């Protein structure tokens, strides 16, 4: 796996991932009252944080995008 995420992209993914994971737990806004939406949101949050941690996004690889300055 070659790194394809830059620092700004990683920071944005961590912030968005944490928000997607925590919001259903707090039920803010109430759109996450459906358990399916809550689980999907939490799973997406975990994926965002994981891709930021590993500095690699498979979708970026498929699309040929790289925000890393290596």
């Amino acid at each position: 796996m070659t790194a394809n995420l830059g620092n700004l992209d990683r920071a944005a993914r961590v912030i968005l991932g944490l928000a997607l994971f925590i919001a259903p737990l707090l039920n803010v806004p109430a759109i996450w009252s459906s358990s399916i939406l809550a689980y999907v949101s939490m799973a997406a949050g975990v994926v965002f944080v994981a891709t930021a941690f590993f500095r690699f996004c498979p979708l970026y690889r498929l699309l040929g995008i790289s925000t890393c300055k290596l």
Side-chain angles (χ1 to χ4, degrees), residues 14-29:
V14 168
I15 292 168
L16 181 62
L18 290 176
L20 284 173
F21 188 82
I22 293 172
L25 297 175
L26 300 175
N27 201 22
V28 177

Side-chain angles (χ1 to χ4, degrees), residues 53-65:
F53 177 74
F54 291 115
R55 298 186 63 147
F56 177 77
C57 178
L59 183 60
Y60 275 17
R61 169 68 60 102
L62 289 174
L63 297 175
I65 300 171

